[in-house]
Amino acid sequence: MSQLPRHAQGVVYKKSLGTYFVHTPDGSVTCSISSRLRKELIYPIADRSSIIHHRVQEVRDIRQIDPVAIGDCVRFLYADEGSTGVITEVLPRRNKLARSAAGKKELEQVIAANIDQIVMVFAAARPEPKWNLLDRYLVTAEAAEIPALICLTKLDLIDDGAFEDELSEYQALGYRIIRTSIVDQRGIDDLRDSLRGKTSVLIGKSGVGKTSLLNAVQPGLGLRVGEVSQRLNKGKHTTTQLEMIGLDTGGGIIDTPGMREFEAWQLDDGDLALMFPEMRSLVGSCRFGLDCTHTREPGCAIVQAVAQGRVSERRYHSYVRMLE
Ligand code: ZN
């Protein structure tokens, strides 16, 4: 296949035990990764001085922390007459969702990259929405600078107007909400439009109706996502087998089943209030300035805003719980 360019570019949509499946305009290519790339990309993240010196921390444990994530745009060299490839470069990421690597708190593990939105799925009932968990997800999205889309399922199970206080609060903060039901089909077209042509990461506990919702958006989609989930639940190293499922309308879905919530683990406590849009502009105007934790200090601008009803008590409690 001499007509193939030596170098090509594509997007990683699946990986499994050191094998990367790269989507290109000419089809899918099964790639491995160059050992040079593997070594170069492993830096300790938490220790900032080390980042400056670009010191590779440890080569021994590298296999657990993958330098290539789902959604990465990579350059690769064709090998074996074009049937396989070797990834040589990961192009700069627009954004990323990461967590600390298991057993290696100081190392970063990127779960997915170049994400257009994080879709946070909650049921309106059975089980009831956990707003505190939603607030955590939203902080993660704010920290990663990825737009959030709140998707409520099973709307047919609640009375009209239930939870409107909470929902209108999120809308006032600028978050988009889609209210759906697979029983009466409300919101499904809207969700389908919102997913079109985008790379979306799904977050949501089991039981919120993700599979049925996805099947309603595109026949068979939920089943395909579910198959990946089952595979993930069986394996030990869940993040090494994530997969982006392509949509008929373009774009893709990355589900994150059975995985602990993404924590914005690199976030300092001092930056947490900045991840709450309604608190952001108040940070720095407390009596103790940037040293204020917005909990017990006198003259705290955020505590005052809560007392005056400008910041909701519920959201403020989420903030305090996240500090613990
Ligand atoms: Zn304060």
Side-chain angles (χ1 to χ4, degrees):
M1 294 184 78
S2 54
Q3 71 273 26
L4 280 168
R6 217 175 137 256
H7 254 115
Q9 201 169 301
V11 173
V12 177
Y13 69 92
K14 180 181 171 183
K15 54 183 196 175
S16 177
L17 304 170
T19 302
Y20 303 83
F21 300 86
V22 179
H23 185 73
T24 77
D26 302 317
S28 181
V29 182
T30 306
C31 291
S32 57
I33 180 174
S34 73
S35 57
R36 189 187 65 89
L37 177 64
R38 192 175 279 285
K39 282 171 189 161
E40 275 185 4
L41 286 182
I42 308 302
Y43 303 122
I45 301 296
D47 180 356
R48 284 172 192 181
S49 60
S50 302
I51 291 177
I52 294 163
H53 297 299
H54 278 246
R55 219 184 292 128
V56 173
Q57 189 185 25
E58 207 174 340
V59 177
R60 244 183 318 152
D61 286 336
I62 270 171
R63 284 177 183 281
Q64 298 191 2
I65 302 108
D66 198 328
V68 180
I70 301 294
D72 263 332
C73 192
V74 296
R75 278 169 67 76
F76 63 91
L77 278 167
Y78 278 111
D80 300 329
E81 296 184 335
S83 60
T84 62
V86 178
I87 295 172
T88 56
E89 189 184 355
V90 177
L91 299 187
R93 290 168 175 149
R94 193 153 43 91
N95 57 39
K96 64 189 177 187
L97 266 183
R99 64 176 189 178
S100 60
K104 279 265 160 204
K105 289 289 173 216
E106 72 278 21
L107 290 179
E108 177 186 61
Q109 184 170 35
V110 178
I111 309 293
N114 304 320
I115 303 152
D116 292 311
Q117 61 190 354
I118 303 177
V119 182
M120 303 160 185
V121 188
F122 283 84
R126 299 184 212 161
E128 282 204 0
K130 289 195 175 71
W131 304 115
N132 170 262
L133 183 60
L134 174 57
D135 290 334
R136 279 182 182 270
Y137 291 166
L138 290 172
V139 162
T140 300
E142 293 284 348
E145 298 183 21
I146 301 170
L149 175 62
I150 301 166
C151 182
L152 222 56
T153 60
K154 309 188 192 182
L155 259 285
D156 54 284
L157 293 181
I158 59 166
D159 295 332
D160 284 343
F163 301 129
E164 278 312 308
D165 285 353
E166 289 89 347
L167 295 177
S168 58
E169 188 182 337
Y170 288 110
Q171 272 168 326
L173 293 171
Y175 296 117
R176 232 187 114 209
I177 300 170
I178 299 183
R179 298 160 174 81
T180 70
S181 161
I182 56 156
V183 174
D184 58 28
Q185 290 290 303
R186 84 183 88 168
I188 302 298
D189 288 343
D190 198 3
L191 179 61
R192 189 183 299 115
D193 284 344
S194 304
L195 298 175
R196 174 176 293 140
K198 290 183 175 163
T199 299
S200 304
V201 166
L202 289 192
I203 313 185
K205 294 265 186 207
S206 63
V208 298
K210 258 191 302 190
T211 302
S212 325
L213 181 70
L214 292 174
N215 280 338
V217 165
Q218 176 181 312
L221 179 62
L223 294 175
R224 287 192 61 199
V225 169
E227 279 166 14
V228 177
S229 313
Q230 280 190 343
R231 205 164 67 217
L232 289 171
N233 286 334
K234 280 183 202 151
K236 263 197 303 185
H237 302 290
T238 50
T239 59
T240 62
Q241 295 182 46
L242 280 181
E243 183 172 348
M244 172 157 49
I245 306 281
L247 294 167
D248 293 345
T249 53
I253 299 272
I254 304 167
D255 193 17
T256 56
M259 213 178 276
R260 241 177 273 147
E261 285 77 52
F262 300 111
E263 298 278 335
W265 63 280
Q266 281 176 280
L267 203 59
D268 292 334
D269 280 355
D271 291 335
L272 183 60
L274 294 171
M275 303 306 146
F276 287 74
E278 68 272 51
M279 299 181 194
R280 198 173 288 149
S281 64
L282 300 168
V283 172
S285 45
C286 307
R287 188 182 303 168
F288 293 133
L290 294 174
D291 291 330
C292 188
T293 66
H294 320 300
T295 50
R296 296 197 177 85
E297 297 87 346
C300 171
I302 288 174
V303 168
Q304 191 182 27
V306 174
Q308 292 170 346
R310 286 181 287 127
V311 168
S312 90
E313 267 182 52
R314 198 188 52 71
R315 288 269 294 169
Y316 176 70
H317 283 139
S318 286
Y319 164 80
V320 172
R321 279 182 68 176
M322 271 180 246
L323 280 181
E324 286 162 2

